[in-house]
Amino acid sequence: MAAVTSSFSLYTLSHCSQRKNLSLSSSTRFLAPNSESFHLGPNFSLQYVAIRASDSASRVVVRCNSSLSDIPTVSETKLSFLKAYKRPIPSIYNSVLQELIVQHHLMKYKKSYQYDPVFALGFVTVYDQLMEGYPSDEDRDAIFQAYINALKEDPERYRADAQKLEEWARAQNSTSLIEFSSREGEVEGILKDIAERAGAKDSFSYSRFFAIGLFRLLELANAMEPTILEKLCAALNVNKRSVDRDLDVYRNLLSKLVQAKELLREYVDREKKKREERSEPQKANETITKCLGQQQISALK
């Protein structure tokens, strides 16, 4: 995504229906659901998934719909992830991943949530941006598998749908992208279904992942004009103001992650150089010892 030169982050949540802040803290911010059920707040922390309210002795756990007894808690989703991927993750990646899975859990278990490929494309875009430069491609894929499985969804479906939309978008232009409703095709059908559900309001759950998925479609179609986004939002029955706001968050904060990774690379390079400098005298001594040994052997002969 060469066109994106910005950053992404984590927001905080407080349960608006009860007006109790979750008081969690983190130096890294990311994507939170945009809904009536949750309010974005300034502080968010991962170590507290289940807490006690100050005015109550009862245990408060984060749930999207408490009336459904089979919905797992955030802590259960996080535990599933940790059980599936047990290897240590570098802190710069782990802090964002841990908060991201909390936000994704809250999106997934909203009553109006329904999986759609644009949402999947948005998440895959975010994940690939986050994990770009990860030391091991194999581990990066394993983390993705563990993450999506922890949310009781299909990681292969996420990847396949994201790839399908990316390939479709590359073949589009500014005009064809917004005229999907007048054409037939698999992706066109997906977009028509989204437009229908978004128009019905109750059967569509907007999220920042969805907004980023739209942004990715525009990017791949080389249709970045603001008017094209406005027309696409109108065709999909999505609030453009919400999309603009969420894309601003994505653009403005992506650069911070890039900067953090750069600092990490500089640190790793410094440590590597220090180790090399410390090893040079040892290598020199080993070379001298080896040469002296060879000379002694020659003299004995």
Side-chain angles (χ1 to χ4, degrees), residues 133-279:
Y134 197 77
S136 167
D137 290 344
E138 182 179 350
D139 287 344
R140 181 176 57 199
D141 292 340
I143 292 170
F144 182 86
Q145 295 275 336
Y147 179 107
I148 299 298
N149 283 328
L151 290 158
K152 302 185 186 303
E153 292 192 316
D154 183 357
E156 302 302 329
R157 185 184 186 189
Y158 267 73
R159 284 292 183 189
D161 283 346
Q163 183 178 357
K164 184 191 305 174
L165 263 63
E166 286 178 344
E167 292 174 352
W168 177 84
R170 289 189 181 98
Q172 306 306 309
N173 55 43
S174 299
T175 302
S176 64
L177 188 66
I178 61 177
E179 293 181 349
F180 65 86
S181 61
S182 63
R183 304 197 315 274
E184 297 299 323
E186 184 178 7
V187 174
E188 286 83 356
I190 290 169
L191 297 178
K192 290 175 187 178
D193 176 68
I194 290 172
E196 183 178 349
R197 289 189 291 111
K201 306 298 182 183
D202 293 339
S203 58
F204 178 75
S205 178
Y206 171 82
S207 72
R208 286 197 169 99
F209 287 153
F210 182 87
I212 294 167
L214 291 185
F215 178 83
R216 183 64 171 149
L217 292 177
L218 294 170
E219 184 182 39
L220 293 171
N222 196 24
M224 301 296 288
E225 300 90 345
T227 56
I228 303 302
L229 175 60
E230 183 176 1
K231 292 177 181 178
L232 182 59
C233 287
L236 289 168
N237 296 314
V238 174
N239 188 320
K240 181 178 180 293
R241 185 176 298 178
S242 297
V243 173
D244 284 338
R245 181 187 62 241
D246 292 337
L247 291 182
D248 283 343
V249 171
Y250 179 65
R251 295 188 190 103
N252 293 336
L253 297 174
L254 189 57
S255 62
K256 294 181 181 179
L257 181 63
V258 173
Q259 293 168 10
K261 289 183 179 180
E262 183 60 31
L263 291 174
L264 178 63
R265 281 193 291 269
E266 291 176 1
Y267 171 78
V268 171
D269 289 343
R270 285 197 303 269
E271 291 300 307
K272 182 179 179 181
K273 186 176 181 180
K274 288 179 182 179
R275 288 195 299 271
E276 290 174 348
E277 290 174 350
R278 288 195 295 266
S279 67

Side-chain angles (χ1 to χ4, degrees), residues 9-13 22-31 43-51 62 73-79 81-82 90-106 147:
S9 97
L10 273 135
Y11 277 99
T12 64
L13 303 169
L22 296 185
S23 181
L24 303 169
S25 71
S26 173
S27 60
T28 310
R29 298 184 176 181
F30 204 63
L31 303 164
N43 297 316
F44 190 79
S45 166
L46 294 169
Q47 61 263 41
Y48 305 110
V49 173
I51 60 175
V62 179
T73 64
V74 172
S75 57
E76 288 169 342
T77 296
K78 290 176 64 180
L79 183 60
F81 170 69
L82 295 173
S91 59
I92 189 173
Y93 300 97
N94 189 51
S95 59
V96 180
L97 278 171
Q98 290 296 322
E99 294 196 29
L100 179 58
I101 202 169
V102 174
Q103 314 308 331
H104 202 154
H105 173 103
L106 295 172
Y147 179 107

